[in-house]
Amino acid sequence: MNNLVFGKYMPLDSPIHKLDPRAKILAMLVMLVAVFMPSGWYGYLIIGVVMILVIRLSKLKLSFVIKAFKPMIFMMCFLFIINIFGYTEGTLLLSVGPLKIYWEAITHTLYIVIRLLLMIMITTVLTVTTKPLDLTLGIEYLLKPFKKIGVPSHEIAMMISIALRFIPTIIEETMRIMNSQKSRGVDFEEGKLKEKIMAIVSLIVPLFSVAFQRADDLANAMEARGYNPSGTRTRYKQLKYEMRDVILIAGAIIILVMMIMLAIFL
C-alpha cells in the first residue's frame, strides 16, 4: 500500500506543476476522450509517447508513475481472461477442448488494457502535479457555469478535494492497523481461508471506525469555523490563464483531432 501513487502530490519545481489547474483538468478530459477514439496502435503509440514526454517535463520518474498500475493488475488480468474466452468471433488461434481462443479476442483485449493504462497514466500525472487545494479550486471554477441549472459546483469540488486528501491518510491508517494487528499475532499472508477472512475483518472494522471518526472530526472542525457551502466566498489565490496554459489545451485538442483522423482513415 505504500506504493499507492494516486492522490499523492509531489512538490517538484517543473513546468507542469506551474500550469493552471483548470488547464490541466481540461487537458486531462480531452486526452481521456482521445484515448477512447478507435485510432488503433498508431494512436495509442502517439498518446503514450506524449504522456512519457509530459512525465519527463514533470520531473517525475517513470518508475514512480508505473507504481500506479500495481493496484489495477488483478483487474487487468481478470479482463484479459474474460475477454479472451468470451470473444467468439474471428480467426481461430488456439483450441483446447471446449475452450477456443481467437486472434481478434487477443487484440481486442490488448486495446482495453492499453486504454486503461493510458487513463491511469493521465489521471496520475494530474493528481501528482496538482495540489489538492488547487484541484478543488480548478474544478469549482470549471463547474461555475452549471450553477445556473442548480449544480452545486462548490460542494462537488469540496467533496472531491476531501476524498483525494483522505486517500494517503487512509493508507497510513491501514498500515498502522496492520502493524498493530501483526504485533498481536494476526497473520495476513498465511493460513486457511477462514483465518484470512478473520484477519481481513480485524483490519476492516477498526479502519472503518477510524475513517468515520476522522470524518466526524473534520465536520466538527468545519462547523466550528463557520463553514457555509452556500455562502459567498472570497479567494486569496486568483487563477489566471497564461500562454503556457493555452498551449497545453491546444496541444491536447490537436492530439484529439489526430486520433479522430486516424479513426476515420485507418
Side-chain angles (χ1 to χ4, degrees):
M1 290 189 179
N2 287 327
N3 293 325
L4 190 63
V5 173
F6 186 81
K8 286 186 178 180
Y9 169 70
M10 296 292 292
L12 300 174
D13 185 19
S14 76
I16 305 300
H17 282 72
K18 296 176 182 178
L19 290 169
D20 190 292
R22 295 171 296 178
K24 286 191 276 188
I25 293 169
L26 288 174
M28 180 201 70
L29 294 175
V30 173
M31 290 297 291
L32 289 178
V33 173
V35 168
F36 280 97
M37 288 291 114
S39 52
W41 299 112
Y42 291 110
Y44 296 145
L45 179 61
I46 292 171
I47 296 175
V49 170
V50 169
M51 288 311 303
I52 290 173
L53 292 175
V54 171
I55 291 169
R56 298 298 297 172
L57 285 173
S58 304
K59 296 183 179 180
L60 298 170
K61 292 182 179 179
L62 189 59
S63 59
F64 178 81
V65 179
I66 290 175
K67 288 180 181 179
F69 300 152
K70 290 184 178 180
M72 306 298 294
I73 289 176
F74 175 78
M75 189 176 77
M76 290 179 190
C77 294
F78 180 76
L79 285 173
F80 193 82
I81 294 170
I82 292 297
N83 277 277
I84 282 181
F85 294 111
Y87 204 93
T88 58
E89 296 179 359
T91 306
L92 184 63
L93 184 64
L94 181 65
S95 178
V96 182
L99 300 177
K100 295 181 179 180
I101 299 176
Y102 295 86
W103 174 251
E104 285 75 7
I106 295 176
T107 56
H108 184 262
T109 305
L110 287 175
Y111 279 147
I112 296 174
V113 171
I114 291 172
R115 282 177 182 173
L116 187 59
L117 291 176
L118 290 173
M119 288 170 59
I120 295 171
M121 190 180 293
I122 293 168
T123 53
T124 299
V125 170
L126 174 68
T127 57
V128 169
T129 61
T130 312
K131 295 178 181 178
L133 207 58
D134 291 344
L135 196 60
T136 305
L137 193 57
I139 294 171
E140 186 175 351
Y141 270 103
L142 292 175
L143 289 177
K144 263 187 178 181
F146 296 99
K147 266 191 171 182
K148 295 180 180 179
I149 58 175
V151 176
S153 60
H154 174 73
E155 288 85 340
I156 293 173
M158 180 61 69
M159 285 189 293
I160 294 173
S161 174
I162 292 173
L164 290 173
R165 175 61 186 86
F166 262 69
I167 289 173
T169 304
I170 294 299
I171 293 170
E172 292 175 3
E173 287 293 341
T174 303
M175 296 303 300
R176 185 181 64 81
I177 294 170
M178 286 182 68
N179 292 332
S180 299
Q181 298 291 37
K182 284 180 180 179
S183 67
R184 294 179 174 89
V186 177
D187 192 350
F188 291 96
E189 298 177 358
E190 298 180 358
K192 298 179 181 179
L193 179 61
K194 183 179 179 180
E195 293 174 349
K196 288 184 177 181
I197 293 174
M198 294 303 297
I200 293 173
V201 170
S202 69
L203 172 65
I204 292 176
V205 172
L207 182 61
F208 269 87
S209 177
V210 170
F212 286 132
Q213 183 60 48
R214 282 185 174 271
D216 187 55
D217 292 341
L218 178 62
N220 291 333
M222 293 173 72
E223 186 178 352
R225 287 167 174 79
Y227 173 74
N228 181 13
S230 60
T232 304
R233 301 179 62 83
T234 57
R235 300 287 185 185
Y236 171 74
K237 183 176 181 179
Q238 299 296 325
L239 298 179
K240 293 181 180 180
Y241 281 112
E242 297 183 10
M243 182 55 65
R244 58 192 178 192
D245 304 311
V246 177
I247 292 173
L248 175 69
I249 298 173
I253 293 173
I254 290 171
I255 293 172
L256 175 59
V257 172
M258 290 174 62
M259 297 303 107
I260 294 173
M261 298 298 288
L262 286 171
I264 292 173
F265 295 107
L266 287 182

